[in-house]
Every structure is written in structure tokens, then in C-alpha cells.
Amino acid sequence: MRLRVEFTTEPFDLDEAPAHAVVAREVVETAGLDAVDVGPFGNTAEGGADAVLGAVDTMLRKALTAGATRISLQVNVVEDGDR
């Protein structure tokens, strides 16, 4: 099964990326996921279920430790035709 995760961390800072946002992005960029897209208002990544779920667990723990006060995320099953 393939999954797509979309997430944002808060609080926002438009002048400089906060530590929690940097940590969260680093986790998905180094997790071996496919189609990673990071941006100032949200991040998206796809991959196998085990890889995505492991990255989400790590991202949540590290972002909260780094000061995130809210993390919004959505996980979707990706069908073969959805890519």
C-alpha cells in the first residue's frame, strides 16, 4: 500500500522557518520517501505505508520536541492512477 501524507506545523513565522518546521522537513526529506514537496505553508510526501507511517511518527515526536504547538496532518491511500 502507498500513502500520501500532507502536514503543517505551527506556530508560523513568515520571516524565518521555526526549528520545528525545519526538523519536520528534514525528517521527510531523509526518510527515503517518494515525491517529497516542502513549502512554507505545507509539506507533502508519498511512499510505502511502513516508510510513511515511520516518518510520521518520527516527524511528530521531533517537531513537538522542537517547539511545535500544533501539527495538522492528513494521510491518504494513493491508488495507482492517483500519481
Side-chain angles (χ1 to χ4, degrees):
M1 176 185 313
R2 287 185 55 80
L3 300 176
R4 176 183 302 128
V5 61
E6 302 173 50
F7 68 91
T8 58
T9 62
E10 296 180 40
F12 293 112
D13 183 340
L14 296 178
D15 294 326
E16 184 177 340
H20 60 81
V22 172
V23 167
R25 291 174 188 160
E26 287 174 353
V27 169
V28 295
E29 289 177 330
T30 61
L33 302 175
D34 306 326
V36 175
D37 182 28
V38 297
F41 300 108
N43 307 283
T44 306
E46 288 184 21
D50 288 339
V52 169
L53 295 174
V56 166
D57 177 61
T58 301
M59 181 273 297
L60 290 171
R61 293 174 189 277
K62 288 188 173 188
L64 291 168
T65 299
T69 57
R70 179 181 192 151
I71 301 170
S72 301
L73 69 91
Q74 180 173 318
V75 178
N76 293 300
V77 174
V78 179
E79 302 295 334
D80 287 334
D82 290 347
R83 291 188 208 158

